[in-house]
Amino acid sequence: MSVETQKETLGFQTEVKQLLHLMIHSLYSNKEIFLRELISNASDAVDKLRFEALSRPELLEGGAELKIRVSFDKDAKTVTLEDNGIGMSREDVITHLGTIAKSGTADFMKNLSGDQKKDSHLIGQFGVGFYSAFIVADQVEVFSRRAGLPASEGVHWSSRGEGEFEVATQEKADRGTRIVLHLKSGEDEFADGYRLRNIIKKYSDHIALPIELPKEQIAVEGEPAPVQEWETVNRASALWTRPRTEVKDEEYQEFYKHIAHDFENPLSWSHNKVEGKLEYNSLLYVPARAPFDLYQREAPRGLKLYVQRVFVMDQAESFLPLYLRFIKGVVDSNDLSLNVSREILQKDPIIDSMKSALTKRVLDMLEKLAKNQPEEYKSFWKNFGQVMKEGPAEDFANKEKIASLLRFASTSDESGEQSVALSEYLARAKEGQDKIYYLTGESYAQVKNSPHLEVFRKKGIEVLLLTDRIDEWLMSYLSDFDGKGFVDVARGDLDLGKLDSEEDKKAQEEVAKDKEGLIERLKTALGEAVSEVRVSHRLTDSPAILAIGEQDLGLQMRQILEASGQKVPDSKPIFEFNPTHPLIGKLDNEQNEERFGDLSHILFDQAALAAGDSLKDPAAYVRRLNKLLVELSV
Ligand code: ADP
């Protein structure tokens, strides 16, 4: 062994220790995936070298035949992986194999419950990568040298996965990385050619460069040992260039795990070859689960970009809109130049037309999923529904298509799940109903019992119940669907159109006339608190309700703006009362103006509470209510 210098012992970042612990306890039933993860890294390293060598051919150091070799030693109980990719410098090794670069990792780790069963599902969200070596090994050694650095700047990294690792500088003749796994006792089954070959075939057949195993050779007595020969065990061609009909589902799934660094199978994929003015292959996947950093601004997103089979960059963000940031995949273009940069991608008109075509592909794929695999779509919606709701604002051209993919909770479904599509809603709309009714609020429990729904229940009209924080904002971008306008049932002067009969309307007008006196008294009593007082057509059981002005901000938007420290324009609600309610009858007959005032304010405050709003002066509410209670009991 060559000399080691500058040896030092360093500690893993806390998150690495947590990950290692979690991984070892989560993956014991699926140990063999360590090989897939290490091969995946080696393949990425080769991709990076190939790309960098385009502008710096000297990096190839004369060795242009790129490959991965897997070997083993039954006696020493080791498995060794070697690649001639980009390699790592000493600093690279310390950062890449000692820390986790993903933003939000610490928060993710904080969310672990300590219950191994529950937490083991989370590991899939994370992607285990290099550290998976410790599932089967109790010592891992990495020998690496960054392409372009002299042989003397090789590095030797070693760890038992128990909190620390050692690094030393050590000569390495060839560029690239060699990883030696010292198998744990009981894991020696992996030091076996047959076993390794099967694992590679199973998980890594799609890797586009050769993965070689030592060829079995029989030594002949009396003759010198034969030179080791190697044989390629995988298919070694770029999967996305093969015709769809020739690629098996399992291959698509394994390829997904490689590019997405995911652990679970994808929900769906779409593989296409485009010819004509533009030429490219694309393979797009919908993951099964939202990554933990879906809402982190700096979280990686975008596709893997290849130009004529050569890997060019990871996380090429310009090919899909932000609301589809969860899509993983590959795009391989024949039109772009190999030295394309992120800046160029942002401006190139070719990219614009690819982006709109790829966006359409994704939306079509989701439409198909919704139609053919409703259960899977439900799961998709749970994971990514909130992100899809960003769509209508970002992607005007596809607004209608995105709207058809949205799912809502509704008064027709007691479960409270977001499961109703707009097309379903319209299919069961009432005769004469030409609007889509919805109500927004804080929580399902709150909106489900809102007084705003009373008239709709009475008439049997379905109302969509929107309780995600983004919903009110979303609805400000959706004006109609399939020619039918959206109506917020808590807003403005509710007009049920043809759903109210002529008699209904006439009766309403008469009541309004009849109650003019009461309206005036209420206006005086409530004063500045309201913008208007009127008779309600929304209520059957409750005495009063607050409606939002047609142009005013809703409660959700107001709360979001207030939480972000913005000044929210002052808006006053409309006080609507139910003329048939006994309390309103009492109010109308109340001669004592002070008591009239108290009762009006109580009704107003109660209406605010029922809408999920907080009271401006809760103490005053309690005081007035108690006063009435005392009077009641004497
Ligand atoms: P990920 O691959 O998800 O980034 P890993 O923990 O698997 O996470 O690897 C961390 C980093 O270590 C990689 O991003 C890469 O920079 C580096 N690395 C791992 N394996 C190799 C390798 N065989 N050759 C070069 N670099 C590697």
Side-chain angles (χ1 to χ4, degrees), residues 345-359:
L345 284 182
Q346 277 166 14
K347 288 185 226 122
D348 196 329
I350 292 184
I351 306 303
D352 274 345
S353 69
M354 285 175 78
K355 179 176 176 178
S356 64
L358 292 168
T359 301

Side-chain angles (χ1 to χ4, degrees), residues 64 80 150 173 189 191-192 214 231 297 312 329-330 346 354 373 403 462 477 479 527 536 548 568 573:
T80 300
E189 58 173 298
D192 178 83
E231 63 179 330
R297 214 187 276 254
V312 171
V330 164
Q346 277 166 14
M354 285 175 78
Q373 294 168 271
E462 183 173 357
Y477 285 91
S479 49
S536 181
I548 313 160
V568 182

Side-chain angles (χ1 to χ4, degrees), residues 71-289:
S71 56
F72 58 94
D73 184 331
K74 266 191 170 40
D75 301 326
K77 298 198 179 111
T78 58
V79 172
T80 300
L81 264 104
E82 179 147 30
D83 68 65
N84 53 2
I86 193 73
M88 287 176 274
S89 67
R90 187 179 169 113
E91 291 88 280
D92 289 342
V93 163
I94 291 173
T95 44
H96 295 326
L97 310 185
T99 62
I100 300 173
K102 295 177 185 124
S103 57
T105 303
D107 284 340
F108 171 80
M109 294 295 174
K110 265 192 225 126
N111 287 334
L112 300 180
S113 65
D115 176 345
Q116 268 158 27
K117 254 221 181 98
K118 272 196 217 143
D119 292 344
S120 65
H121 296 292
L122 291 174
I123 192 96
Q125 251 175 298
F126 202 83
V128 290
F130 169 78
Y131 300 105
S132 65
F134 289 100
I135 306 171
V136 296
D138 51 16
Q139 193 199 350
V140 176
E141 288 186 279
V142 178
F143 302 86
S144 195
R145 178 176 46 96
R146 168 91 195 180
L149 291 180
S152 59
E153 290 192 34
V155 54
H156 176 199
W157 178 101
S158 172
S159 174
R160 299 190 159 272
E162 286 168 349
E164 345 186 279
F165 59 91
E166 286 177 352
V167 268
T169 297
Q170 183 182 327
E171 174 140 337
K172 187 170 185 293
D174 307 318
R175 68 148 197 275
T177 303
R178 181 168 77 250
I179 300 178
V180 183
L181 309 177
H182 299 268
L183 298 171
K184 290 180 187 170
S185 79
E187 308 297 353
D188 13 342
E189 58 173 298
F190 292 109
D192 178 83
Y194 183 72
R195 183 85 163 101
L196 290 170
R197 174 187 301 259
N198 280 338
I199 303 175
I200 294 169
K201 283 300 271 182
K202 182 165 165 196
Y203 297 110
S204 307
D205 199 42
H206 60 78
I207 294 288
L209 74 159
I211 305 169
E212 298 182 345
L213 276 176
K215 212 171 182 168
E216 279 207 42
Q217 286 157 304
I218 300 156
V220 182
E221 264 203 51
E223 287 185 22
V227 179
Q228 182 63 62
E229 287 178 36
W230 296 81
E231 63 179 330
T232 302
V233 292
N234 65 326
R235 184 190 287 267
S237 72
L239 178 130
W240 63 90
T241 60
R242 290 161 52 194
R244 249 189 319 223
T245 46
E246 286 175 20
V247 186
K248 291 203 284 277
D249 284 359
E250 294 77 33
E251 293 180 276
Y252 278 123
Q253 288 162 347
E254 287 310 324
F255 182 70
Y256 164 76
K257 290 176 191 165
H258 163 57
I259 55 154
H261 297 255
D262 195 353
F263 208 71
E264 285 179 80
N265 283 333
L267 269 190
S268 183
W269 56 85
S270 169
H271 181 189
N272 296 95
K273 190 185 182 81
V274 176
E275 278 165 331
K277 229 170 89 195
L278 288 179
E279 285 189 10
Y280 61 92
N281 287 298
S282 65
L283 175 48
L284 306 171
Y285 290 94
V286 183
R289 209 185 285 263

Side-chain angles (χ1 to χ4, degrees), residues 353-367:
S353 69
M354 285 175 78
K355 179 176 176 178
S356 64
L358 292 168
T359 301
K360 224 177 136 298
R361 290 256 183 250
V362 174
L363 297 177
D364 286 346
M365 163 163 59
L366 293 173
E367 205 168 88

